[in-house]
Amino acid sequence: MTNGYYIGTKEEAENYDNIVTQGEGYNGTTTRWAEPRQHPTQLDLYAIIKHPSYDDTMQWVEVLDESWDIVEHIS
């Protein structure tokens, strides 16, 4: 089972990471919850893994669709 992902702006994704990181007290070898991932073509969209204990108002999806995969076409 997956926790899914939140999709939002860079600022929203970074804020979510900061909330989870501070709430969980990460330090030492784990210094943050997750790194937001930029969409390869819709550059204003970012995804971040949802933490099971922290909700947010960003759009939640169970899995990232294929548009999040970087595919190089060889011609």
Side-chain angles (χ1 to χ4, degrees):
M1 181 176 161
T2 179
N3 294 322
Y5 295 84
Y6 281 128
I7 297 174
T9 65
K10 181 179 182 180
E11 182 179 7
E12 289 171 328
E14 287 176 344
N15 286 342
Y16 181 76
D17 175 57
N18 288 333
I19 289 167
V20 175
T21 297
Q22 290 176 7
E24 294 298 304
Y26 292 137
N27 60 30
T29 56
T30 302
T31 58
R32 66 188 296 183
W33 163 243
E35 179 143 358
R37 177 179 171 188
Q38 187 177 33
H39 191 280
T41 59
Q42 298 178 49
L43 302 180
D44 59 335
L45 290 181
Y46 285 76
I48 189 164
I49 298 170
K50 183 192 179 306
H51 189 284
S53 301
Y54 296 84
D55 293 326
D56 197 87
T57 59
M58 285 184 284
Q59 176 190 2
W60 177 84
V61 295
E62 188 171 0
V63 295
L64 295 176
D65 67 32
E66 62 278 352
S67 74
W68 287 87
D69 296 331
I70 298 174
V71 178
E72 294 184 34
H73 298 280
I74 300 173
S75 24

